[in-house]
Amino acid sequence: MTLPVPSPTDFLRAAMHAYRRGSLSEAESLCRDILRGQPYHVGGLFLLAVVRTAVGDDEAAAGLFQATLTLDPALADANGNLAMIRQRQGHRAEATRLFQRATRLAPDNLDWRISHAMLCLEQPGTAARHFRSALALAPTSAAAWRGLGLALRGNDPAQAAIAFDRAFRLDPSLQQTQSEAFACRLRAAEWQHYDRDRQSMEVCIDQGGIVLPLLTQIAGIDPARQRRAAETVWQWQVAGDPPPSLSRKRHDDRLTVAYLSADFHEHATAYLITGLLEQHDRSRFRILAGCYGTEDDSAARQRIRRSVDGFHILRDLDVGQVAEWAAEQGIDILVDLKGYTAGARLDLLSRRLATVQVAYLGYPGTLGGGPVDYLVGDSVVTPPADQPYYHERLVILPGCYQVNDRNRPRPDTMIDRGSLGLPPDGFVFGALNAPQKITPDLFGCWMRVLKATPDAHLMLYDPNGTAAANLRAAATRLGVDPGRLTFVGAAPLAQHLARYRAIDLCLDSFPYTGHTTTSDALWMGVPVVTRQGDGFAARVAASLLHAVGLPELITHDLAGYEALALSLERDRARLDELKAHLERVRDTAPLFDTPAFARHLERAYRLMWERHCASLPPQTLIVPPQD
């Protein structure tokens, strides 16, 4: 008797059964048996792609899904699964097209809707609509509620906090949503649960949970916990297996330094660093910019393009492609300008794109892991004794770590106070840091200062108008007329700097002190009262003040901060002397000496490279001042 020969359908059925049992090797073998007889068998190609995905072979799986779609373009699962792979690989445009097709073919697939919406976060209104569509399908989807929070946090942080809280209640394993909700409440100046939220962060860190590293800086968590939080997030979100090392091309005898960021446009990072890019010594350094941020044609972007030897768009490249780019460009030193800030791609740093990798400027703290060799600081923000709080080895620059562009605008015309909503006369305090940097204790201090200076006003910054109402209500509760608070929003750089002409004295934020905000004020000749604390972010303004020769404006507790602010308001002659000092030193102070800063940073790069060439591991580097 002749036994029946199993058909491809029988093989496929057996392969599916093996896959569901978890026998992936058996399932793959059966799929390949099908394809040997019928190379264009849609079911065999599709299931083999699913198996290769399950074993982590995205490259092979993508090719198989693509072959499946060539034969059957309307197969929703092939479109959706390939989209997920392209999303992981960083191919945003292709992933978006595939998700759109998949959701048209299978409109009830929640995972694809959410993944598609995540790719639209740079268009928050569009993303919010997609997440709400997903929630219409599944109102209890924690992932969709978290996605809605991510879409809303820029323009409506109060509603975003509600969405994040709901996501956590539905799925407590989404630990990051707790700190995302806290961050949004701070953006909206909602402080009802401030102490509870801050304490919950510390407990979460101590238990090895997920807390946003930047939020640990904003909330003033102690440096040891800051490092633990960063280490946990790095392992959870970033760490991965490095690809095979690629042979790096050598272009010439110069060191090739590449700056990597999403912020090479109208952004604070661009305003600070462009002068440095222009000042680098091209006889000794070849300077590149790797940009993975939003495309634009702004004046800031154009100036950066002109200031580097190569401007490279990395936005739609996956990790492997960026690694190939880095090898082809022969990058010796890669400088990450983002850290744990919005839009970062720390997955790139995890792959050792360059011989030496450096963290600088964008994030004031440790990344907590990976092949990141150095963190650039100075003796104030990162004294050598603080090395235990950093995964990276510290680089201690002379003067201040923060680069400034001495060619940025310097508006000299006095601004009309009335255009800002200020009275024509009276003393004006300014506090133009973002609302999330304001704590209840700090705001209480500011209100005591206003109560002690009846003719004074306070100018505050509220970029999306969501904090003003809560801050005015808080002022009322503390016995201050809310009309004495004036709010300004985002503005072009020159217009923003011109506002400082209306301010008599700036009050710094704490524990996350002013960075660009403080150097902007000093550039415009406005003294800044700060409080120095523990950790990088709590010391930046102090470093800036040292670098303009005004250490007397640094205090070390809230009482001293309040007393100094009041004494300067009452002693106008002393305040005028401070302003005159800033005018005198603006062209000579280390803070604004871009050429000297470039030489110091280049010396740091040389020291890093010399250690590498000597086969020595990274160590704390103290860079001597240049003659």
Side-chain angles (χ1 to χ4, degrees):
M1 182 177 68
T2 303
L3 294 175
V5 177
S7 68
T9 301
D10 295 328
F11 276 110
L12 186 62
R13 189 179 296 114
M16 284 293 298
H17 184 62
Y19 173 75
R20 288 169 179 156
R21 291 199 318 270
S23 301
L24 299 182
S25 59
E26 180 185 351
E28 178 166 348
S29 177
L30 289 165
C31 287
R32 294 194 183 279
D33 286 342
I34 296 171
L35 295 173
R36 272 192 289 272
Q38 295 188 24
Y40 303 112
H41 191 283
V42 171
L45 285 168
F46 175 79
L47 185 54
L48 182 56
V50 170
V51 172
R52 295 317 300 167
T53 303
V55 299
D57 187 359
D58 275 356
E59 282 298 326
L64 290 162
F65 281 129
Q66 192 63 66
T68 304
L69 289 171
T70 300
L71 298 168
D72 185 359
L75 188 59
D77 283 342
N79 280 284
N81 288 339
L82 181 56
M84 301 286 274
I85 291 173
R86 294 308 192 207
Q87 184 180 33
R88 287 195 295 273
Q89 292 176 331
H91 298 301
R92 299 168 57 89
E94 184 182 358
T96 296
R97 289 194 300 272
L98 288 163
F99 277 131
Q100 288 172 338
R101 191 181 305 152
T103 52
R104 284 197 302 270
L105 294 167
D108 293 338
N109 189 301
L110 185 67
D111 290 339
W112 297 344
R113 283 187 175 274
I114 293 172
S115 296
H116 179 205
M118 291 295 286
L119 288 169
C120 300
L121 286 174
E122 290 175 355
Q123 302 169 302
T126 300
R129 287 195 298 274
H130 285 312
F131 284 122
R132 288 191 172 106
S133 295
L135 287 167
L137 291 173
T140 59
S141 167
W145 279 111
R146 178 174 181 261
L148 183 60
L150 293 173
L152 295 176
R153 64 182 175 181
N155 296 318
D156 194 349
Q159 288 300 310
I162 293 171
F164 286 132
D165 282 334
R166 188 163 299 181
F168 182 71
R169 287 198 298 272
L170 289 166
D171 184 359
S173 71
L174 295 174
Q175 292 179 329
Q176 71 273 27
T177 56
Q178 284 189 292
S179 49
E180 287 168 335
F182 185 21
C184 285
R185 281 191 279 274
L186 291 179
R187 289 191 184 99
E190 290 185 352
W191 300 324
Q192 297 93 325
H193 306 296
Y194 181 86
D195 291 335
R196 178 205 69 185
D197 286 343
R198 191 181 180 284
Q199 185 176 11
S200 294
M201 283 177 57
E202 292 184 337
V203 171
C204 189
I205 293 168
D206 291 344
Q207 294 176 346
I210 305 299
V211 171
L212 301 179
L214 184 60
L215 186 58
T216 67
Q217 305 269 2
I218 292 171
I221 302 299
D222 63 271
R225 285 192 174 102
Q226 289 179 17
R227 175 168 181 170
R228 288 202 296 275
E231 289 171 341
T232 301
V233 169
W234 183 277
Q235 289 300 318
W236 165 69
Q237 185 178 28
V238 184
D241 295 330
S245 60
L246 301 173
S247 177
R248 291 188 174 86
K249 184 176 180 179
R250 198 83 209 150
H251 288 259
D252 51 42
D253 291 335
R254 298 177 295 171
L255 275 182
T256 295
V257 178
Y259 292 91
L260 202 64
S261 181
D263 299 328
F264 293 134
H265 54 266
E266 299 289 347
H267 186 277
T269 295
Y271 300 148
L272 290 174
I273 205 165
T274 305
L276 167 66
L277 302 178
E278 293 170 342
Q279 288 293 327
H280 271 307
D281 181 355
R282 290 311 202 277
S283 70
R284 301 169 65 223
F285 294 89
R286 176 171 167 261
I287 304 300
L288 308 178
C291 178
Y292 53 81
T294 304
E295 291 292 320
D296 75 359
D297 194 35
S298 64
R301 170 70 67 90
Q302 293 175 21
R303 186 178 165 200
I304 290 173
R305 281 184 175 275
R306 294 191 299 269
S307 70
V308 295
D309 298 305
F311 189 92
H312 302 268
I313 303 297
L314 310 178
R315 177 179 169 82
D316 291 323
L317 302 187
D318 62 31
V319 174
Q321 290 170 318
V322 175
E324 291 173 2
W325 162 77
E328 174 63 25
Q329 292 299 322
I331 298 172
D332 299 309
I333 299 176
L334 182 76
V335 184
D336 174 69
L337 299 175
K338 288 294 292 178
Y340 289 112
T341 60
R345 283 194 63 183
L346 294 180
D347 60 316
L348 302 181
L349 285 185
S350 73
R351 302 307 177 99
R352 179 59 78 181
L353 299 180
T355 306
V356 176
Q357 298 197 141
V358 182
Y360 176 53
L361 194 61
Y363 175 68
T366 182
L367 299 182
V372 185
D373 305 297
Y374 295 100
L375 172 70
V376 178
D378 61 49
S379 61
V380 176
V381 294
T382 54
D386 280 6
Q387 180 62 74
Y389 303 133
Y390 297 89
H391 164 80
E392 310 80 2
R393 305 308 293 182
L394 296 175
V395 177
I396 312 297
L397 293 183
C400 181
Y401 87 101
Q402 188 194 86
V403 65
N404 274 268
D405 175 17
R406 61 166 46 179
N407 293 320
R408 71 177 126 177
R410 190 161 64 187
D412 291 324
T413 305
M414 292 302 297
I415 195 167
D416 176 22
R417 284 187 168 193
S419 68
L420 298 174
L422 293 166
D425 302 311
F427 195 89
V428 176
F429 293 103
L432 299 187
N433 287 304
Q436 61 264 31
K437 295 184 181 183
I438 306 173
T439 67
D441 287 346
L442 180 65
F443 190 76
C445 170
W446 291 348
M447 294 305 98
R448 290 193 297 273
V449 168
L450 287 185
K451 290 173 79 170
T453 55
D455 70 333
H457 280 69
L458 175 62
M459 185 193 298
L460 296 160
Y461 178 68
D462 185 16
N464 50 37
T466 58
N470 286 329
L471 290 171
R472 287 193 175 105
T476 300
R477 289 194 297 272
L478 294 169
V480 174
D481 177 2
R484 297 174 65 190
L485 275 56
T486 297
F487 293 88
V488 296
L493 179 60
Q495 181 182 337
H496 169 68
L497 292 174
R499 293 168 175 164
Y500 284 96
R501 294 292 183 194
I503 297 173
D504 296 296
L505 178 65
C506 279
L507 303 177
D508 193 22
S509 56
F510 186 85
Y512 197 114
T513 62
H515 296 193
T516 311
T517 306
T518 298
S519 55
D520 283 347
L522 299 174
W523 175 252
M524 294 302 298
V526 182
V528 180
V529 173
T530 192
R531 176 184 172 190
Q532 180 175 327
D534 294 328
F536 197 138
R539 296 172 174 170
V540 170
S543 175
L544 300 173
L545 286 166
H546 276 290
V548 293
L550 291 179
E552 62 266 35
L553 296 183
I554 302 167
T555 65
H556 297 276
D557 55 39
L558 200 59
Y561 173 101
E562 182 177 336
L564 180 56
L566 287 172
S567 71
L568 291 174
E569 189 277 337
R570 292 164 182 166
D571 189 346
R572 305 296 174 86
R574 183 184 175 200
L575 185 59
D576 288 342
E577 289 174 1
L578 295 172
K579 293 178 180 179
H581 169 84
L582 288 172
E583 294 293 335
R584 283 195 305 272
V585 305
R586 188 159 47 187
D587 294 325
T588 58
L591 183 60
F592 303 123
D593 191 344
T594 315
F597 181 91
R599 303 293 83 78
H600 292 143
L601 189 60
E602 288 170 352
R603 178 59 178 149
Y605 292 157
R606 282 289 174 189
L607 290 172
M608 297 173 196
W609 191 249
E610 288 167 6
R611 288 194 64 81
H612 161 71
C613 292
S615 299
L616 296 172
Q619 71 167 14
T620 302
L621 299 176
I622 300 177
V623 180
Q626 303 294 294
D627 294 333

